[in-house]
Amino acid sequence: MRSVSVRGCAHGLAVGVLLAASVVDVVLYASDGTSVLPMASPSWQILAVVLVGLAAVLWPAGRRPEWFTPQLRTAVPALASALLTAASLLVDGEVVFGPGEIMILLCLLFIAVRHCPPRWAVVCGGLDTGALLILPVRGDLTLSSDVMGLEMIGLLLAGLIAGLAGYLRSMDYRRTVAVSETRRSERLAIAADLHDFVAHHVTGILVQTQVARMMATTQPQELDPVLAGIERAATEALASMRRTVGVLRDTGPEASGHRPVGDLAGIAELIEGFATPGQKAVLSRDPAVSPDLPHEVQAAAFRVVQEALTNIRRHAADATHIEVRLQDDTGRLAVTVADDGRGGSQLPAAAHGGGFGLVGLIERVTALGGELNAGPRGGAGWEVRAVLPARKA
């Protein structure tokens, strides 16, 4: 059984009050006996105006036809009310007005300011305000102090309602902008993921293909492990692309589960699938490094290792020993990737990359409150070192 929320109770109470006030309007017109149309009773005249206004205010959004736009909803009832006021000037005697019509016009003013397009909001809001302010003319054409007092009250109510609607409209706009910025940043993050994962695997395919071509003439009997590595890298690249496309297609909360992120445990798998014949890659992990580090920190460490290994393939394919170290640095996580290469690479120029990976790494690490340094080692080789906080900054 569904529980009744406070918002639902408030909505039901508001609808009940509006309907009750509309009934009061019809009763007042019927008791007044003054008709602005010779062939129609007073109750039918106000009933038509009230029904049009109630339909505009209360029609459920899910069942509202496309042609029933906010402009139409707010303009037509205001025009009907204004025409009834104008017609009342042609008859002798006072024509009363009740609280129902006032509340309907205020609701329509709220809808116009909050939901109509900017230019239409001014037009429709002006119509609703004008119809509200001329209501007292039905009862007194002399513009007495009582009428002017009612006009001031109506103007105050219209200002409050318009101000509230304008504030909520600005909040809606800010929320829309925030959602758009969030989606944009998320798509940029997904693009970075695609670069990190697919570029890593494709670079591995290139390197191992070159090794396979060299071994085809000298050591054909040992080709199978190399070809198996190529197959594995291609499979992982396709899986990464599939997960990334899944994120782009999904819009619900489940989309986050598709995102190809990594952690400290995944670093071992990266190193296991990295080495080629003639290379040795080892992982050294300090027992003091906690496996319960925040997800953002583990993902950043994974990206550092992944990008460093990719760059070794691109720029130091002659490296024979690669060491990855995970250490506890006075409560922080230190990630170091070092090689002994001298810059030898046979990859095509198009596969060398444009340097965006390192830039993205620096942004990712510094966003968490860490720091990243890359440069030559003493002697030969290159070293990438990142220090990450144990907790997200």
Side-chain angles (χ1 to χ4, degrees):
M1 183 176 179
R2 295 180 60 183
S3 60
V4 180
S5 64
V6 176
R7 183 176 181 180
C9 291
H11 180 267
L13 178 62
V15 172
V17 171
L18 184 61
L19 292 176
S22 300
V23 172
V24 171
D25 279 18
V26 177
V27 172
L28 285 176
Y29 260 75
S31 62
D32 176 71
T34 303
S35 176
V36 299
L37 296 176
M39 303 301 295
S41 66
S43 58
W44 282 109
Q45 299 163 20
I46 189 59
L47 182 61
V49 174
V50 166
L51 288 179
V52 171
L54 289 176
V57 174
L58 301 180
W59 200 312
R63 300 181 180 179
R64 198 176 298 148
E66 294 183 1
W67 55 265
F68 200 29
T69 61
Q71 300 92 292
L72 189 65
R73 291 172 61 197
T74 55
V76 171
L79 290 174
S81 176
L83 289 175
L84 182 60
T85 300
S88 69
L89 302 178
L90 304 177
V91 300
D92 296 330
E94 297 181 355
V95 179
V96 299
F97 62 94
E101 196 172 358
I102 297 173
M103 294 178 63
I104 288 174
L105 290 173
L106 289 173
C107 291
L108 294 175
L109 174 61
F110 180 89
I111 294 172
V113 175
R114 186 174 185 186
H115 297 295
C116 286
R119 294 183 180 179
W120 280 104
V122 176
V123 175
C124 297
L127 285 175
D128 295 322
T129 303
L132 175 68
L133 295 180
I134 63 175
L135 282 179
V137 177
R138 294 183 191 176
D140 187 356
L141 299 180
T142 61
L143 298 181
S144 62
S145 59
D146 292 340
V147 172
M148 296 305 297
L150 291 175
E151 294 283 356
M152 294 301 297
I153 294 175
L155 188 62
L156 177 62
L157 290 174
L160 291 175
I161 294 298
L164 175 61
Y167 170 76
L168 294 177
R169 185 185 184 112
S170 68
M171 294 297 292
D172 293 339
Y173 174 76
R174 293 178 183 177
R175 188 180 301 110
T176 301
V177 171
V179 169
S180 298
E181 289 297 321
T182 300
R183 288 177 177 173
R184 179 178 178 275
S185 62
E186 184 64 20
R187 287 180 178 272
L188 290 176
I190 292 171
D193 289 344
L194 185 62
H195 169 272
D196 291 344
F197 280 84
V198 178
H200 175 80
H201 296 311
V202 172
T203 303
I205 293 172
L206 281 173
V207 171
Q208 293 182 83
T209 301
Q210 290 178 335
V211 173
R213 291 182 63 184
M214 290 187 295
M215 295 178 63
T217 56
T218 59
Q219 300 172 299
Q221 69 279 6
E222 298 182 10
L223 270 178
D224 187 66
V226 179
L227 296 176
I230 295 174
E231 180 183 11
R232 182 176 61 254
T235 302
E236 292 174 351
L238 288 174
S240 295
M241 293 182 66
R242 189 179 301 112
R243 287 193 294 266
T244 303
V245 172
V247 173
L248 294 174
R249 286 182 176 177
D250 292 338
T251 56
E254 68 279 0
S256 60
H258 296 287
R259 187 170 172 179
V261 296
D263 53 16
L264 296 184
I267 294 177
E269 298 177 7
L270 269 181
I271 297 172
E272 181 181 350
F274 173 78
T276 58
Q279 285 184 331
K280 181 180 180 182
V282 297
L283 171 64
S284 175
R285 178 169 176 173
D286 187 347
V289 174
S290 171
D292 299 325
L293 291 172
H295 175 75
E296 295 83 359
V297 175
Q298 295 195 45
F302 183 90
R303 293 296 194 280
V304 169
V305 175
Q306 186 181 59
E307 184 63 25
L309 294 179
T310 302
N311 287 335
I312 290 173
R313 278 177 172 163
R314 286 175 172 168
H315 308 294
D318 61 338
T320 59
H321 182 80
I322 299 98
E323 183 179 6
V324 178
R325 296 190 298 272
L326 303 177
Q327 298 173 308
D328 181 77
D329 183 5
T330 62
R332 300 186 299 172
L333 174 64
V335 183
T336 306
V337 182
D339 66 84
D340 60 355
R342 298 182 179 273
S345 175
Q346 301 297 324
L347 291 181
H352 285 176
F356 298 110
L358 187 59
V359 173
L361 271 187
I362 294 174
E363 291 180 354
R364 185 187 295 270
V365 171
T366 54
L368 293 174
E371 55 186 32
L372 183 140
N373 297 289
R377 301 172 62 193
W382 192 268
E383 181 178 273
V384 176
R385 176 179 171 84
V387 180
L388 299 163
R391 289 290 178 264
K392 183 180 176 182

